[in-house]
């Protein structure tokens, strides 16, 4: 029965007073109560929109190495759970592949999965990840959903209490792998060993990290190795003939799916052995038997042996990176992906991505270096042939230096000031043209095996293509951004009797350039016009049309609001740009203490009259501009008493994934109700800040906040 707060004893090797112990023991208890095979806790730092895996139970962290750090914008279950603030469930491999095709490519196993946010009020502290064996039903039961919700509450309380006590729980650089508690009903060691020795063939056991913990004498004979050499080792590293990644992959399949698996391998010079794997929560038991005498088994029972390659986990990480790079849009996306996936895949600690421009190498992004050290790589002329990065780029040949001595032997004049101990220098070349260089660095000396060099060299080709695409995108984005900034007002006019504050915040997903606009126009003594609008789309065309609409509004201003919108509408219908525009126009008669409003399909403004609650004005909107040439736009009138607040905004302020726009408007209205700051700029910052904190947004935000002061 689930009892919030109940916890198991601390895992072996973790002191009870350790600040990490409550998190680790709570996770262990949750995994057991929910009947899951494995689980992990991600933490969300306040200063960075990246989920970090803090602790994992029931599975080696290597299995999910590509997702130890998960940006909130990533298409992954834990990110979706935090962004959308909901339980994410996948009941089968097929469903997982449909929902998360990129992740499924790197994690092609049978399992059920749940990811849920750890919330405390409006704040999200992280996420809980749980995995069940393939035998789990495709749907989570109501009881399981209740257990998961209660578990998230328990974890969120634990994290909040630690923060209040001044001992916040943070994610380590490498996630903790919790020890597995053996069943108290296990057989005594001597009896278990004797039992295994009596069986024909051989028996061995692996822990959850894949290391050999037991071998019978029959297993040693069949494997052709001494027990002392194999205990504590990974089979695919200790036995060269098991070096094919498909064998490790069979082990991963057994651990994740909790289903027995089997494979057949040949021990040189020609003896075929059959391996049958039986997994459970504590590890894997393996039966080894001869598969035949002097002949190969049925070809259908084995998978073809590929050329020598890196470990299965490393290959899956590269596959995942290759798929992810196809979705990388900007140079920053490429850098973040390389840092999040290449560094852990190759156990590197430092990264510098350099691009060639105007005959020089410039640092585009880096990780794991202090800024003063990275300056040594920046702005290096390509004529300086005595540096590893320039030589790699100009020759097109990668450089691998396993120690400072190896580097100094080739480049005696290169200063060793970064503290790194090994380097891989990869030229980035696409279509025969050098575009940059990728530098991977290690804190300890590192031997670059032949297969690792091969994979890194291939990886450089993928990076080069992605980097070139990203640079072209960034250039196009920069031009569109300059266009948009030129079309938005640099400053708003001072209007006697009116305080004004405005903000524009671009979307966090997509082209990052949209058609949201706002303006304030002086109309003579005691009068002004306020306008806000949203052109459909997020590209240079939308930004250009926004400039045309804004110019047309200026030309028509001074006329009644319905006539202003009608004139702009006819102009757009004549231009036929293929995009529509929503717009709200407000004529402010400050001398008369009133406002006249006309709406072309735009979200309603929010009004806070003195001494009253904020409400959305119930306007009768006409159609968006650019659709119906003869459209009419009804006019509404409201009083403007001293102290009145009027908020005009675009839909990016009130829309978020999974919520209705009416709910978003109500949330903003409540926030405006509580705003007592006399400075409109700070109120506006708070409104936009709340919307940005929700997570990834597909739309821009424009706001125009007005307050009637009566001052002349």
């Amino acid at each position: 029965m689930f009892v919030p707060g109940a916890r198991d004893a601390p895992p072996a090797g973790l002191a009870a007073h350790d600040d990490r112990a409550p998190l680790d023991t709570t996770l262990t208890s949750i995994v057991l109560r929910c009947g899951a095979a494995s689980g992990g806790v991600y933490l969300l730092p306040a200063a960075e929109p990246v989920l970090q895996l803090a602790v994992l139970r029931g599975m080696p962290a290597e299995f999910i190495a590509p997702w130890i750090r998960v940006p909130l914008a990533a298409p992954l279950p834990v990110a979706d759970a935090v962004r959308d603030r909901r339980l994410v469930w996948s009941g089968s491999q097929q469903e997982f592949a449909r929902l998360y095709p990129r992740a499924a490519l790197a994690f092609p196993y049978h399992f059920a999965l749940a990811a849920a946010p750890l919330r405390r009020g409006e704040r999200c502290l992280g996420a809980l990840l749980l995995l069940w064996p393939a035998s789990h039903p495709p749907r989570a039961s109501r009881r399981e959903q209740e257990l998961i919700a209660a578990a998230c509450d328990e974890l969120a309380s634990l994290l909040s209490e630690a923060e209040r006590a001044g001992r916040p729980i943070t994610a380590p650089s490498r996630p903790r792998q919790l020890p597995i508690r053996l069943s108290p009903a296990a057989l005594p060691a001597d009896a278990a060993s004797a039992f295994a020795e009596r069986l024909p063939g051989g028996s061995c056991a692996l822990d959850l990290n894949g290391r050999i913990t037991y071998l019978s004498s029959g297993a040693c004979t069949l494997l052709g190795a001494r027990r002392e050499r194999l205990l504590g080792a990974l089979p695919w590293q200790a036995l060269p003939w098991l070096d094919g990644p498909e064998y490790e992959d069979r082990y991963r399949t057994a651990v994740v799916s909790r289903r027995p698996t089997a494979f057949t391998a040949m021990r040189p010079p020609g003896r075929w052995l059959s391996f049958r794997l039986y997994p459970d929560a504590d590890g894997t038991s393996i039966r080894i038997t001869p598969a035949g005498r002097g002949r190969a088994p049925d070809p259908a029972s084995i998978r073809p042996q590929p050329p020598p390659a890196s470990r299965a986990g490393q290959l899956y990480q590269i596959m995942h990176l290759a798929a992810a790079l196809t979705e990388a849009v900007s140079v920053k996306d490429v850098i973040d992906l390389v840092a999040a996936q290449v560094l852990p895949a190759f156990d590197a600690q430092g990264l510098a991505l350099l691009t060639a421009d105007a005959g020089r190498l410039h640092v585009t992004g880096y990780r794991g270096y202090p800024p003063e050290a990275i300056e040594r790589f920046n702005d290096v002329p390509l004529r300086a042939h005595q540096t590893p990065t320039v030589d790699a780029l100009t020759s097109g040949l990668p450089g691998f230096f396993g120690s400072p001595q190896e580097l100094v032997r080739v480049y005696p004049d290169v200063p060793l000031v970064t503290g790194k101990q090994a380097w891989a220098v990869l030229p980035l070349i696409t279509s025969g043209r050098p575009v940059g260089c990728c530098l991977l660095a290690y804190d300890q000396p590192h031997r670059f095996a032949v297969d690792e060099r091969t994979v890194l060299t291939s990886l450089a080709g993928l990076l080069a293509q992605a980097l070139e695409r990203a640079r072209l995108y960034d250039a196009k984005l920069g031009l569109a951004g300059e266009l948009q900034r030129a079309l938005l007002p640099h400053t708003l006019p001072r209007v006697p009797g009116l305080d004004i504050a405005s903000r524009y915040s671009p979307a966090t997903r997509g082209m990052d350039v949209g058609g949201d606009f706002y303006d304030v126009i002086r109309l003579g003594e005691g009068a002004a016009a306020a306008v806000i609008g949203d052109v459909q789309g997020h590209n240079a065309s939308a930004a250009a049309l926004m400039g045309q609409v804004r110019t047309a509004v200026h030309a028509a201003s001074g006329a009644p609001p319905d006539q202003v919108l009608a004139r702009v509408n006819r102009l757009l219908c004549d231009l036929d740009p293929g995009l529509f525009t929503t717009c709200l126009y407000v004529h402010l008669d400050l001398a008369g203490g009133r406002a006249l409003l006309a709406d072309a399909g735009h979200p309603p403004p929010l009004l806070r009259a003195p001494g009253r609650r904020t409400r959305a004005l119930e306007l009768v909107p006409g159609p968006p501009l650019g659709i119906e040439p003869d459209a009419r736009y009804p006019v509404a009138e409201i009083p403007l008493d001293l102290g009145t607040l009027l908020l005009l905004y675009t839909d990016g302020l009130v829309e978020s994934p999974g919520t209705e726009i009416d709910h978003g408007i109500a949330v903003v209205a409540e926030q405006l109700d509580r705003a007592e700051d006399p400075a409109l700029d700070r109120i506006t910052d708070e409104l936009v800040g709340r919307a940005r904190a929700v997570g990834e947004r597909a739309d821009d935000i424009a706001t125009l906040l007005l307050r009637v002061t009566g001052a002349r």
Side-chain angles (χ1 to χ4, degrees):
M1 182 176 186
F2 176 65
V3 182
R7 300 189 178 102
D8 295 346
L14 191 61
H17 65 274
D18 194 314
D19 287 343
R20 301 169 300 175
L23 181 63
D24 295 356
T25 54
T26 300
L27 174 62
T28 297
S29 179
I30 288 169
V31 170
L32 296 175
R33 289 195 301 260
C34 293
S38 54
V41 175
Y42 284 84
L43 301 181
L44 181 62
E48 188 180 13
V50 176
L51 289 162
Q52 300 178 21
L53 182 61
V55 58
L56 184 68
R57 183 192 190 276
M59 179 191 305
E62 179 194 357
F63 283 20
I64 58 172
W67 310 293
I68 288 175
R69 286 172 53 85
V70 176
L72 283 184
L76 291 167
V78 289
D80 282 356
V82 171
R83 269 200 325 270
D84 301 343
R85 304 191 175 203
R86 64 180 175 89
L87 171 67
V88 174
W89 175 265
S90 170
S92 67
Q93 184 192 28
Q94 291 78 12
E95 184 177 10
F96 187 68
R98 179 177 59 82
L99 296 173
Y100 304 100
R102 196 171 84 192
L105 183 66
F107 204 68
Y109 309 116
H110 294 273
F111 59 89
L113 172 148
L118 309 180
R119 296 177 57 185
R120 207 66 179 160
E122 287 297 312
R123 186 181 168 202
C124 198
L125 305 175
L128 170 66
L129 176 69
L130 294 171
L131 275 75
W132 284 264
S135 56
H136 191 283
R139 301 292 172 209
S141 67
R142 181 181 295 275
R143 178 61 175 159
E144 283 175 326
Q145 295 179 42
E146 292 171 352
L147 287 172
I148 293 169
C152 289
D153 288 343
E154 184 179 5
L155 285 167
S157 297
L158 174 67
L159 296 172
S160 296
E161 290 168 9
E163 260 189 10
R164 283 196 296 271
R167 296 191 303 274
I169 299 174
T170 58
S173 57
R174 293 174 181 268
R176 292 188 300 280
Q177 173 72 54
L178 293 189
I180 301 300
R181 185 178 61 248
L182 294 178
S183 167
L187 290 171
D190 290 345
S193 177
F195 171 80
E197 291 291 345
R198 287 191 290 269
L199 294 175
S203 302
C204 78
L206 309 181
D207 64 16
L208 276 178
N209 291 313
R211 298 192 178 276
I212 299 173
T213 58
Y214 170 79
L215 291 115
S216 68
S217 57
C220 294
T221 300
L222 289 170
L223 297 175
R226 295 172 58 85
R227 180 180 282 109
E228 294 77 10
R229 175 187 161 195
L230 297 177
L231 283 175
L234 297 170
W236 40 90
Q237 290 181 357
L239 300 167
W241 48 276
L242 283 179
D243 192 39
E246 70 271 27
Y247 303 133
E248 181 189 353
D249 185 54
R250 288 300 179 93
Y251 162 70
R252 287 169 172 254
T253 300
V255 171
V256 175
S257 67
R258 292 289 197 266
R259 285 177 172 174
T261 60
F263 63 87
T264 310
M266 187 186 73
R267 171 191 155 193
R271 186 167 192 189
W272 290 90
L273 299 175
S274 174
F275 295 78
R276 305 192 72 84
L277 287 67
Y278 301 92
D280 71 2
D282 294 328
T284 303
S285 298
I286 303 177
R287 285 289 295 146
I288 309 169
T289 56
R293 186 176 298 276
R295 61 179 182 85
D298 179 1
S301 68
I302 63 171
R303 295 163 66 177
Q305 174 77 21
S310 57
R311 295 270 50 82
Q314 195 175 81
L315 289 179
Y316 279 138
Q317 285 178 286
I318 298 305
M319 290 167 62
H320 183 263
L321 177 67
L325 284 174
T326 64
E327 299 179 14
V329 176
S330 66
V331 171
K332 182 180 181 300
D333 292 340
V334 174
I335 295 168
D336 289 344
L337 279 168
V338 174
Q341 297 185 33
V342 173
L343 290 184
F346 293 93
D347 201 25
Q349 290 76 45
L351 162 73
L353 195 63
L354 303 97
T355 53
D357 187 36
R360 307 181 81 86
L361 270 179
H362 302 276
V363 176
T364 304
Y366 64 93
R367 299 288 190 277
Y369 281 102
E372 58 274 13
I374 208 69
E375 275 303 311
R376 293 184 173 273
F377 302 109
N378 196 30
D379 202 28
V380 178
L382 294 180
R383 296 187 303 273
H385 288 293
Q386 288 304 308
T387 68
T389 52
V390 171
D391 274 2
L393 187 63
T394 55
S395 69
L397 300 175
F400 299 97
F401 308 96
S403 67
Q405 292 77 18
E406 290 184 22
L407 181 66
V408 170
R409 239 187 338 262
V410 183
Y411 299 98
D413 297 329
V414 171
L416 301 175
V417 295
T418 64
K420 302 300 183 185
Q421 299 293 305
W423 302 264
V425 189
L426 309 172
L428 305 180
I429 298 174
T430 179
S431 301
R433 186 172 61 86
V435 297
C437 186
C438 179
L439 176 68
L440 297 181
Y442 299 76
D443 289 343
Q444 300 297 327
H446 182 86
R447 184 179 69 85
F448 293 95
V450 174
D451 57 356
E452 186 176 15
R453 296 182 185 216
T454 301
V455 173
L456 283 171
T457 302
S458 301
L459 175 65
L462 294 174
L463 289 179
Q465 295 175 32
L467 183 62
E468 182 70 352
R469 289 195 307 270
R471 291 177 69 188
L472 291 173
Y473 169 85
D474 283 352
K476 183 178 179 182
L477 177 63
L479 289 173
E482 289 178 13
L483 171 64
Q484 186 178 43
R485 286 188 293 273
L487 294 174
L488 284 171
H490 297 291
T491 59
L492 293 175
R494 294 177 59 86
V495 178
L498 194 66
D499 283 349
I500 307 169
S502 63
R503 289 293 182 274
Y504 174 80
S505 178
T508 58
R509 185 176 75 234
M511 180 69 181
D512 208 25
V513 173
D516 290 20
F517 66 95
Y518 58 86
D519 211 342
V520 174
I521 307 165
R522 292 192 63 170
L523 299 177
E525 188 68 25
V531 60
I532 195 162
D534 185 358
V535 178
Q536 174 193 14
H538 294 88
N539 49 40
S541 298
L545 182 59
M546 174 264 285
Q548 293 175 309
V549 174
R550 183 167 166 254
T551 300
V553 169
H554 268 266
S557 62
D562 57 333
Q563 291 302 309
V564 172
L565 293 185
R567 292 174 189 178
V568 176
N569 177 57
R570 282 194 294 272
L571 173 65
L572 293 188
C573 288
D574 290 342
L575 292 174
D576 191 20
L579 301 172
F580 65 80
T581 302
T582 67
C583 185
L584 177 67
Y585 184 91
V586 184
H587 179 93
L588 301 161
D589 180 4
L590 300 173
R594 63 175 188 153
L596 302 175
L597 304 92
D599 187 354
H602 201 78
L606 295 177
L607 177 72
R608 192 181 83 178
R612 305 187 67 176
R613 301 200 61 176
T614 302
R615 64 186 177 93
L617 295 179
E618 296 181 0
L619 306 180
V620 179
L625 306 176
I627 297 178
E628 298 179 19
D630 299 323
R632 296 180 179 275
Y633 299 94
V635 176
E637 180 178 334
I638 60 170
L640 290 180
D641 299 322
L642 291 181
T644 295
L645 277 176
L646 185 64
L647 175 65
L648 283 60
Y649 56 90
T650 56
D651 52 7
L653 184 70
V654 294
E655 285 187 336
S656 59
T659 60
E660 297 289 337
I661 190 170
D662 289 343
H663 173 74
I665 293 173
V667 170
V668 174
E670 290 176 8
Q671 190 177 5
L672 197 59
D673 262 337
R674 297 192 300 269
E676 298 297 338
D677 199 308
L680 290 192
D681 281 329
R682 285 197 288 268
I683 296 176
T684 307
D685 286 339
E686 290 173 2
L687 292 172
V688 175
R690 182 208 59 81
R692 290 180 63 88
V694 170
E696 189 178 65
R697 290 179 295 102
D699 211 348
D700 307 346
I701 297 174
T703 61
L704 192 58
L705 183 59
L706 312 172
R707 178 165 57 202
V708 179
T709 64
R712 296 284 179 177

